[in-house]
Amino acid sequence: MTTTTSTRYTLGGDEHLFVELSESMSLDAFFRGLLITNELSARSLAGVTEICPANASFQVRFDPDVLDVRRLQAVLEEIESRIGDRESTLDTRIVEIPVYYQDPWTHETLMRFRERHQDPSSTDIEYAARINGYADVDSFIEAHSGTPWFVSMVGFVAGLPFMYQMVERDKQIQVPKYLTPRTDTPKQTVGYGGSFSCIYSVRGAGGYQMFGVTPVPIYDPEHKSDHLSEFAIFFKPGDIVTYRPIDRAEYDEILAAVERNDYTLRTAPVTFSLAEFEADPAGYPARMLEALDED
């Protein structure tokens, strides 16, 4: 496929067009992709059957009997040319996720798989704190929970969100995945791999470092929880997440409320501006979080 921009278009069989906006992840590339896919969805273009945004790319499934791929690419190029990232905003929501860091369940699991880890002599969070230059685990938890995260994509496993930290590039937490993936990860584990945080929506295999667990379900095909009553998957690309550290007592309290269907996630609508973030990457996210107290 040819293109008049740095964006790369690649066919994936007869029904998919893969669009790569950048070879590396950045808030700029993610934001641009989200704006493009949102606009494509809003246009309800005949022949487009599915739109899947990702970290610095997206994929569009289309019916070739209805929509010629050259027409689809032309539309995407036209949308991208009209989007001025630094003048655009995104209407989204902030979600507060309580996290019990250094919980006993992920600790038991990570100890079972130490031979697959880069540093078998320490825990996952101790290793992450050390290689990122933090004095201790408490300082690392403060950095991990102290700034919000963008949900850049949801997938691989149903309901699993990938989140990118809203900080300057040189302040990004970086942690490699396990040398060899585990065959077990507790449900609702807060994990980390590369520059991405995630929450394991179900129990299963995984290779991300394990820092803690949340008592709040984020995926439920039975729709038992209020926040999952209409759709089994809670997160969607563009959501902004803030982690709130909790202790064992509060974890148990929230878990009991979830089981009674008496727990409400703290959420608030917010408008995100990439220009304002880039102008003040430390102060702007903090001001956005104030929306949780106002809602």
Side-chain angles (χ1 to χ4, degrees), residues 100 246-256:
Y100 180 18
I246 60 175
D247 58 17
R248 176 62 186 268
E250 187 171 1
Y251 175 90
D252 290 342
E253 180 182 333
I254 293 174
L255 188 63

Side-chain angles (χ1 to χ4, degrees), residues 51-113:
I51 304 170
C52 301
N55 299 323
S57 62
F58 59 90
Q59 184 165 267
V60 181
R61 186 178 184 182
F62 63 98
D63 183 345
D65 292 329
V66 176
L67 178 62
D68 186 277
V69 68
R70 291 167 294 186
R71 167 62 178 157
L72 174 58
Q73 180 174 334
V75 170
L76 291 170
E77 289 179 341
E78 182 265 327
I79 292 174
E80 184 175 9
S81 70
R82 289 176 175 269
I83 290 175
D85 290 350
R86 286 155 179 76
E87 299 176 358
S88 300
T89 59
L90 175 69
D91 291 327
T92 183
R93 62 179 176 173
I94 291 180
V95 182
E96 182 184 85
I97 297 294
V99 179
Y100 180 18
Y101 288 91
Q102 302 188 92
D103 66 282
W105 307 286
T106 59
H107 180 78
E108 185 277 330
T109 303
L110 67 86
M111 294 306 294
R112 279 193 281 125
F113 292 95

